[in-house]
Amino acid sequence: MDYKEVYLIVKEAFEQAGIVFSPDDDDLVLSEYITDSIQYITSIVNIENALDIEVPDEYLLPERMSTLKAFSEALTDLMKGNDANDDWDD
């Protein structure tokens, strides 16, 4: 699965949980949209189910999920067996 597919699945998973994003912003800052912990947890469960993966706890830290784009890239790397942790040192 490539990045674009993962990005769309992740975005849809958040939207299914009630977190609606601005359609004209492709690098959304997640903390600006996630305001409810139940929505957040539901989103992660939706993502795990849609991608058939288990998202490691360290991927769920706020600084690691800074933007929708960065989170989607990290999940793409995770699915390919790459360690995306080094990409989050920005």
Side-chain angles (χ1 to χ4, degrees), residues 13-66:
F14 279 113
E15 290 173 348
Q16 287 174 347
I19 302 168
V20 180
F21 301 111
S22 171
D24 60 338
D25 188 358
D26 73 338
D27 201 18
L28 308 162
V29 176
L30 291 173
S31 64
E32 293 177 9
Y33 291 89
I34 300 172
T35 58
D36 182 281
S37 61
I38 300 297
Q39 287 178 320
Y40 172 72
I41 293 167
T42 301
S43 299
I44 299 306
V45 170
N46 290 346
I47 290 165
E48 290 179 330
N49 290 335
L51 297 175
D52 194 27
I53 62 170
E54 183 175 332
V55 178
D57 291 344
E58 62 268 15
Y59 281 51
L60 303 176
L61 298 171
E63 60 271 12
R64 301 264 170 102
M65 286 184 62
S66 60

